[in-house]
Amino acid sequence: AQKVTQAQTEISVVEKEDVTLDCVYETRDTTYYLFWYKQPPSGELVFLIRRNSFDEQNEISGRYSWNFQKSTSSFNFTITASQVVDSAVYFCALTPYGQNFVFGPGTRLSVLP
Amino acid sequence: AAGVIQSPRHLIKEKRETATLKCYPIPRHDTVYWYQQGPGQDPQFLISFYEKMQSDKGSIPDRFSAQQFSDYHSELNMSSLELGDSALYFCASSLGSGPNEKLFFGSGTQLSVL
């Protein structure tokens, strides 16, 4: 069985602060895929990143960066110099195959001006 | 660029009624996924189709059925609606069914059961 935990239910930061969203997962599969999705107030789900279990290389994309540590089963997401437009619910998700994700409960990020 | 289109955007039904939600994937996408997101909840996988065949099944109630048609659009049929079915229903599509394919979500259908 797979499980995704996002311990932070809500986070509030002031604009330009850095913020890290935690994601811890459980799976017995040796091959699996991890994702982050953003759900802004408008409701749609926006793909941010995909990682497979064999690739522990951290990734940076603009103000976003991801730290994948297989040893601790974590896939944390950091936003640098946060902006008001970053305010959204962020979901971490896991799948052993396909795209039938198991989503975490989400972290609501509020970036205050 | 064309995105995943879901209709209707909002739907209000009463208990025990039926509802049909439609999903039009991005052109050339052959895989469709349905997710249900209850108020304040994370999305839950319901069912998926690849090349018009059911490819995977999640927590879809027996009262629900779905299919993918020859033009790759998909419909989620919901019968004997219950209050707990009130949720945002997402459809997503991809080209191919593997995890390396990028998944594109529609804006969702907000179903309210009264």
Side-chain angles (χ1 to χ4, degrees), chain A residues 33 35 37 39 42-48 50 52 89 91 95-106 108, chain B residues 9 33 35 37 40-45 48 55-56 88 90 94 96-107:
Chain A
Y33 300 83
F35 297 75
Y37 276 87
Q39 188 173 41
S42 50
E44 74 274 21
L45 285 166
V46 179
F47 168 87
L48 294 178
R50 170 187 53 241
N52 71 57
V89 179
F91 291 100
T95 179
Y97 63 90
Q99 305 220 28
N100 50 332
F101 303 127
V102 171
F103 281 89
R108 180 176 298 279
Chain B
R9 188 72 176 92
Y33 301 80
Y35 282 84
Q37 186 178 22
Q41 304 295 315
D42 54 290
Q44 296 289 319
F45 170 69
S48 62
S55 55
D56 206 350
L88 184 59
F90 284 108
S94 63
S97 59
N100 288 318
E101 304 301 331
K102 188 173 177 180
L103 195 64
F104 294 83
F105 281 85
S107 299

Side-chain angles (χ1 to χ4, degrees), chain A residues 1-112:
Chain A
Q2 289 87 35
K3 183 179 178 181
V4 176
T5 302
Q6 294 177 253
Q8 305 144 309
T9 305
E10 293 191 36
I11 300 177
S12 288
V13 298
V14 177
E15 207 170 17
K16 296 182 184 172
E17 284 185 359
D18 298 346
V19 58
T20 295
L21 309 183
D22 298 333
C23 172
V24 174
Y25 62 91
E26 295 176 31
T27 180
R28 294 178 185 166
D29 297 295
T30 54
T31 300
Y32 52 89
Y33 300 83
L34 295 161
F35 297 75
W36 275 95
Y37 276 87
K38 173 183 179 179
Q39 188 173 41
S42 50
E44 74 274 21
L45 285 166
V46 179
F47 168 87
L48 294 178
I49 191 172
R50 170 187 53 241
R51 260 287 172 267
N52 71 57
S53 52
F54 298 109
D55 182 4
E56 288 193 69
Q57 185 175 1
N58 293 327
E59 182 164 334
I60 298 174
S61 175
R63 296 184 297 107
Y64 296 168
S65 63
W66 291 269
N67 184 349
F68 176 30
Q69 293 199 347
K70 211 168 173 178
S71 60
T72 56
S73 297
S74 65
F75 186 41
N76 297 337
F77 171 33
T78 298
I79 302 175
T80 303
S82 59
Q83 300 176 1
V84 173
V85 293
D86 295 327
S87 296
V89 179
Y90 290 85
F91 291 100
C92 181
L94 166 72
T95 179
Y97 63 90
Q99 305 220 28
N100 50 332
F101 303 127
V102 171
F103 281 89
T107 296
R108 180 176 298 279
L109 173 65
S110 298
V111 181
L112 308 174

